[in-house]
Amino acid sequence: MSQLGQVVGILRKLNDEYQMSTPKKLKLIDAYLVYVLLTGIIQFVYCLLVGTFPFNSFLSGFISTVGSFILAASLRIQLNKANQSTFNVSPERAFADFVFAHVILHLVVMNFIG
Amino acid sequence: MYRSFMMIIFILLPIYSWCATSTVATNLYPANLNGLKSQFQTAMKSFSDVASIHYSLAGIKELGVQPPDTYCNDIKKLVDKTNIESIYHATEAAKTLTNCNLPVEDYRSKISSTIQSDKSTTAEIYYAVRSSINLGLNIDESLIEKRLNTLAKTDDSILSQGYALLTGAQLSPAIAKYYADTINDLVQQADEIDGRILQYEGGISTTGLIFNAFYEVAEKAGTSIKIDPKQLLKFANYFSTKRHVATLRSAYYLTKAFKYISDNKNSMPIVVTRVSSSEVNAQNPSVLVSVTNLFGQPVGEMIVTAESAKRNEDGVVVISKQKLTSKSSDFTVYELPFYDKKISRGFYTIHLTLTPQTDGKFIGLTDHTIDVKVTSEVTLENVELNIVDRDNAAQIKTYKLTYPNGLSNNLEMDYHQKLIIKFQVKDKQTDEFIRVQQAFLRFTNKQSNKEIIYLAEATSGSNPQYKVEVDLTTNANDFRHQSDAYELVLLVGDALLQKAFSWKLTDNIQLSFHDDNVPDIDHLNIYSAKPEIIHQFREAEKRPPAIVSLVFSGLTLLPLLILLISWLKLGFNLSGLPLGLSPLGFHISHGAAFALMYFYWKYLDMFQTMRYLALVSIPLFLFGHRVLAILAARREKKV
């Protein structure tokens, strides 16, 4: 019981810390990430339930969520001011890369969806 | 030292090559004259062209049958006056008949135009010259000679040279002699096969024609034909192998070739063949050979000596330098007594050489081989039929049998028992027990006539005993478990046995097997139609019901709601959205890119999409750049 209480306490602390120290921009991106994650999970559950036919469609949908997740995550990293020292790109450049990569991702996904 | 080594090479090499070439196996056969005769006679029943008439009538005349004059009308009907070859065949055919005169004037112009023309081939010149002689026309020998010389330069094929020789044989002896001297060159141009056969490219009709040309031109020149005897033998070998020829032309030239090499005036190859049976035993103790020429005619007295008779198995020589005795008055058949107690069973090869007692140019007098086999009588001894209990080896029922008596009583066996048969094969002559090539035990099902055969195996060692064992439990499958009455037969045979054995041991042996009958494989119906295979298309994979898919599609869109709500809660800074041309343009082109994706999914293919995408990405890039620049400037200002 005390262990569970400890875990809950840690989580609450994490949440408070997060709410306070994260800038709004990053929080927006985090919300987007959660959305993409949920979409991916639902697709995967569907596949488990009804089987993998047609496999290419499942793959393209799933890879679309995975790819979007990765691109959004990398955008978040690049926009995080705490990482300014490692990355030397302006936020505008990061966003432009994000859009460009998404166009290509969607092209591939649409090709594969069948 | 080097010099002596070279000298040894130079001395040994020719000796070796002489040895190698002198052992040309001369296994000639007499010509198939009856076959050739019937070929000509069949063709003579109906003719379709004048060449066939020529070959058949001339061929049958060579074989000693005079064709009747009724064919003269056929010749006149079928000849084509505009074709020099046709004229040639007609005149030749007419010459074989006793009274057939062709109208000379019809052909004179064609003949002379052929001779005059530059374009005539050697064959056509020959046809023209020969036709002239047959019709009694004059020919200009110097003109012909000049023509032949020109043709020799332009056409050096072997057939053309043959025709040149034949033409030379129609002219004066001096010209013929010139051509006769080229015979040796022509022989060198022949192809040697296996070191035994000489032939020309073009098969039997070309080789026959050229061979005939040699003899004709030598005869006209008045000289003897100068061909190396070994090479003549190889030609003879070639002709000897042609037992059946396809065309009349080949048959005619083959007949003439045989006639020439069987003529006393020329070198004559000798044919030695066995006329007795190949089996030598107490009833046929001698080997009889015939000595003739290729035409089957006698060649005068010869001394025929069996140089050696070797057993093929171990090379042991059983006869050495024994003379054969002459059995016929025309000296065509000779006898060699072979059967002897000391000569054991086996296959033997006898080498014969001949020494002629009359004058004559004989060739091929050595290296004749005759193959014979010496057989013997055998008996089956110590034949035992045992029925043994499988579990209790002590319980045996034994029956002793003697050939040719079978068992008088009926036998019964069931699956507890096994059948063992033992016997020995004894050579009557040597009293030795021997092994044979075939020793089988055969069961025949009396109802279905199905046969089951087992192999009897001999023990190794000096006194072999044959044994065959049939176990009714382990071998039941061979009988398909069919419990029935069977017939039992012992089969013993060998190439060297005078008589083989098929001995019915018992007429009725009842076999009972443990399991039920298994039906026989119906061998007649193996090739009946098998069940038809209907093509099955691949079954579509199972899809979930539409409702499930729709529900999940809805569920997938659910997180979008969650996103919008959480964004609103977080405070989406919509007010900060810049307005103006560039942002508008950016949003429109961005939207257009995703609309293009939708169209790609539904309607377009990759190439079109790429083109449209390229188109859309230009404003997208431009406007995006501008919008970002505005935002960057705004950020700079704030800071």
Side-chain angles (χ1 to χ4, degrees):
Chain A
M1 269 313 159
S2 63
Q3 271 187 335
L4 188 64
Q6 271 184 335
V7 170
V8 170
I10 288 171
L11 281 176
R12 198 171 290 165
K13 210 159 164 233
L14 201 65
N15 191 26
D16 290 335
E17 181 78 33
Y18 172 75
Q19 295 290 8
M20 272 199 294
S21 59
T22 333
K24 191 162 70 166
K25 237 190 220 169
L26 295 183
K27 278 204 198 133
L28 289 172
I29 295 181
D30 288 337
Y32 176 68
L33 283 172
V34 169
Y35 150 67
V36 169
L37 190 68
L38 280 175
T39 318
I41 289 172
I42 291 173
Q43 281 190 344
F44 190 64
V45 165
Y46 175 72
C47 169
L48 283 177
L49 275 178
V50 299
T52 58
F53 188 79
F55 196 50
N56 57 314
S57 309
F58 159 66
L59 270 183
S60 81
F62 195 67
I63 283 172
S64 164
T65 57
V66 167
S68 306
F69 189 88
I70 291 169
L71 288 173
S74 68
L75 180 67
R76 188 189 190 281
I77 291 172
Q78 285 176 326
L79 286 181
N80 196 350
K81 294 216 175 43
N83 289 341
Q84 199 89 29
S85 53
T86 337
F87 293 100
N88 200 8
V89 293
S90 61
E92 284 71 37
R93 173 67 197 279
F95 185 67
D97 286 341
F98 176 73
V99 169
F100 179 64
H102 256 285
V103 169
I104 295 181
L105 176 68
H106 280 91
L107 187 67
V108 171
V109 160
M110 281 305 169
N111 184 28
F112 203 49
I113 205 164
Chain B
M1 200 204 56
Y2 184 65
R3 251 185 79 204
S4 61
F5 180 68
M6 291 305 283
M7 276 183 61
I8 291 173
I9 296 282
F10 281 125
I11 294 173
L12 284 181
L13 211 57
I15 296 177
Y16 173 72
S17 63
W18 176 83
C19 289
T21 50
S22 71
T23 54
V24 169
T26 53
N27 267 347
L28 295 167
Y29 300 98
N32 184 9
L33 295 175
N34 289 333
L36 288 166
K37 200 186 270 191
S38 64
Q39 190 170 2
F40 293 132
Q41 281 168 335
T42 317
M44 278 161 71
K45 292 203 184 94
S46 76
F47 284 119
S48 52
D49 61 298
V50 70
S52 308
I53 302 184
H54 166 209
Y55 292 131
S56 316
L57 297 186
I60 206 95
K61 190 157 182 185
E62 294 282 340
L63 292 174
V65 176
Q66 172 63 36
D69 280 348
T70 51
Y71 289 108
C72 197
N73 292 327
D74 292 288
I75 299 173
K76 290 189 188 149
K77 235 187 335 180
L78 288 169
V79 70
D80 176 5
K81 297 192 195 113
T82 58
N83 184 326
I84 188 65
E85 189 178 342
S86 181
I87 296 174
Y88 158 71
H89 287 307
T91 57
E92 286 283 292
K95 215 165 64 128
T96 65
L97 303 171
T98 46
N99 195 358
C100 183
N101 292 318
L102 296 173
V104 177
E105 288 315 311
D106 289 353
Y107 313 123
R108 189 195 290 268
S109 57
K110 182 64 188 170
I111 292 174
S112 55
S113 66
T114 310
I115 295 180
Q116 302 293 335
S117 160
D118 283 335
K119 294 199 190 52
S120 303
T121 62
T122 328
E124 285 167 345
I125 296 287
Y126 169 63
Y127 296 145
V129 172
R130 184 83 181 156
S131 308
S132 305
I133 294 184
N134 288 343
L135 293 170
L137 296 170
N138 287 331
I139 44 175
D140 185 353
E141 290 199 358
S142 53
L143 176 61
I144 305 285
E145 208 181 337
K146 247 196 316 194
R147 277 269 172 274
L148 288 176
N149 285 335
T150 341
L151 280 166
K153 290 194 199 83
T154 55
D155 185 357
D156 63 350
S157 73
I158 193 72
L159 206 51
S160 163
Q161 290 179 60
Y163 279 117
L165 249 72
L166 284 172
T167 316
Q170 314 303 319
L171 306 173
S172 72
I175 301 177
K177 181 154 197 323
Y178 164 72
Y179 280 104
D181 289 335
T182 66
I183 288 180
N184 204 21
D185 290 333
L186 273 173
V187 172
Q188 300 306 319
Q189 288 180 47
D191 303 319
E192 191 171 307
I193 316 260
D194 285 342
R196 287 184 54 239
I197 285 178
L198 269 178
Q199 65 170 47
Y200 288 100
E201 216 176 272
I204 177 67
S205 79
T206 310
T207 314
L209 185 143
I210 296 174
F211 197 70
N212 276 303
F214 294 161
Y215 282 93
E216 271 195 41
V217 77
E219 206 175 304
K220 188 63 184 273
T223 61
S224 64
I225 190 164
K226 290 188 194 63
I227 301 184
D228 186 66
K230 287 197 218 51
Q231 291 177 313
L232 191 61
L233 257 180
K234 288 180 193 169
F235 274 120
N237 262 329
Y238 176 72
F239 293 126
S240 175
T241 60
K242 300 288 168 197
R243 309 300 296 161
H244 300 278
V245 285
T247 62
L248 284 171
R249 177 184 158 102
S250 310
Y252 169 65
Y253 282 117
L254 187 64
T255 313
K256 284 196 79 171
F258 280 133
K259 204 112 194 264
Y260 276 124
I261 24 181
S262 309
D263 195 333
N264 306 37
K265 289 193 279 155
N266 307 318
S267 302
M268 193 155 56
I270 304 292
V271 178
V272 174
T273 47
R274 171 172 48 78
V275 289
S276 61
S277 144
S278 66
E279 194 177 319
V280 172
N281 50 35
Q283 285 76 40
N284 308 330
S286 307
V287 179
L288 294 168
V289 296
S290 81
V291 176
T292 60
N293 61 16
L294 276 163
F295 235 59
Q297 297 159 333
V299 290
E301 193 182 347
M302 296 251 174
I303 297 182
V304 185
T305 317
E307 294 290 320
S308 68
K310 278 194 207 150
R311 185 157 57 215
N312 291 358
E313 218 180 352
D314 47 14
V316 167
V317 177
V318 294
I319 287 180
S320 184
K321 294 215 187 319
Q322 187 169 338
K323 280 214 197 123
L324 281 78
T325 47
S326 164
K327 295 293 283 182
S328 66
S329 56
D330 56 358
F331 299 109
T332 52
V333 182
Y334 295 83
E335 181 183 13
L336 173 70
F338 203 81
Y339 185 74
D340 190 292
K341 282 225 179 301
K342 289 188 237 86
I343 300 181
S344 57
R345 278 166 45 248
F347 292 95
Y348 290 88
T349 309
I350 308 173
H351 288 274
L352 297 168
T353 52
L354 300 108
T355 320
Q357 298 294 96
T358 55
D359 286 328
K361 293 181 271 195
F362 302 112
I363 55 173
L365 295 169
T366 56
D367 290 313
H368 291 280
T369 55
I370 304 282
D371 290 310
V372 291
K373 68 177 180 181
V374 176
T375 61
S376 62
E377 272 190 68
V378 296
T379 53
L380 294 177
E381 306 268 316
N382 307 330
V383 187
E384 254 179 41
L385 192 150
N386 300 320
I387 298 185
V388 184
D389 208 69
R390 283 186 78 235
D391 307 313
N392 190 353
Q395 268 191 307
I396 308 182
K397 256 190 292 186
T398 308
Y399 301 89
K400 288 215 191 285
L401 299 156
T402 13
Y403 183 79
N405 306 318
L407 270 177
S408 45
N409 44 334
N410 290 345
L411 289 173
E412 267 183 31
M413 280 178 66
D414 60 27
Y415 58 93
H416 292 305
Q417 296 165 315
K418 56 184 178 179
L419 179 73
I420 300 181
I421 296 187
K422 297 189 198 163
F423 61 95
Q424 285 184 298
V425 185
K426 188 164 86 162
D427 186 334
K428 260 197 201 161
Q429 215 192 341
T430 60
D431 273 345
E432 264 184 343
F433 290 116
I434 59 171
R435 282 188 188 79
V436 289
Q437 290 169 334
Q438 296 174 324
F440 305 121
L441 183 69
R442 184 178 73 202
F443 287 85
T444 312
N445 186 320
K446 292 183 85 142
Q447 263 186 336
S448 62
N449 279 333
K450 182 181 147 74
E451 292 179 353
I452 303 102
I453 301 181
Y454 291 97
L455 189 62
E457 303 209 349
T459 57
S460 56
S462 52
N463 284 342
Q465 186 191 56
Y466 279 92
K467 180 172 145 181
V468 56
E469 189 174 306
V470 181
D471 186 328
L472 287 192
T473 308
T474 46
N475 292 117
N477 222 7
D478 296 336
F479 294 86
R480 314 288 284 173
H481 297 271
Q482 287 169 355
S483 304
D484 255 324
Y486 286 82
E487 198 182 81
L488 199 58
V489 173
L490 183 69
L491 301 162
V492 175
D494 191 283
L496 296 174
L497 292 189
Q498 216 173 316
K499 224 172 27 141
F501 295 90
S502 169
W503 179 12
K504 196 191 288 195
L505 297 174
T506 171
D507 197 24
N508 193 330
I509 176 167
Q510 188 76 23
L511 301 176
S512 313
F513 294 99
H514 183 51
D515 293 314
D516 291 326
N517 288 1
V518 175
D520 289 327
I521 308 166
D522 195 355
H523 288 279
L524 287 171
N525 273 347
I526 273 181
Y527 300 106
S528 63
K530 290 219 162 61
E532 191 176 327
I533 303 172
I534 300 172
H535 178 74
Q536 308 252 6
F537 286 99
R538 191 163 63 133
E539 274 176 28
E541 306 243 356
K542 274 211 322 214
R543 304 260 187 138
I547 299 181
V548 177
S549 321
L550 278 172
V551 164
F552 266 90
S553 305
L555 270 180
T556 318
L557 291 172
L558 195 65
L560 191 63
L561 265 175
I562 300 175
L563 176 71
L564 285 171
I565 294 171
S566 55
W567 267 358
L568 279 171
K569 259 186 53 187
L570 285 169
F572 198 61
N573 192 4
L574 271 168
S575 57
L577 209 64
L579 290 163
L581 177 66
S582 301
L584 195 67
F586 170 69
H587 283 109
I588 288 175
S589 48
H590 198 209
F594 286 107
L596 181 65
M597 291 299 135
Y598 173 73
F599 282 115
Y600 176 34
W601 177 44
K602 279 293 219 170
Y603 309 113
L604 301 170
D605 64 44
M606 181 55 108
F607 298 107
Q608 292 166 313
T609 315
M610 291 296 280
R611 280 187 214 122
Y612 286 131
L613 192 65
L615 221 62
V616 164
S617 59
I618 295 170
L620 179 67
F621 181 70
L622 280 171
F623 288 128
H625 186 75
R626 289 230 187 97
V627 166
L628 288 173
I630 291 171
L631 284 173
R634 212 190 278 176
R635 193 160 52 83
E636 294 288 309
K637 252 201 302 191
K638 246 199 278 183
V639 172

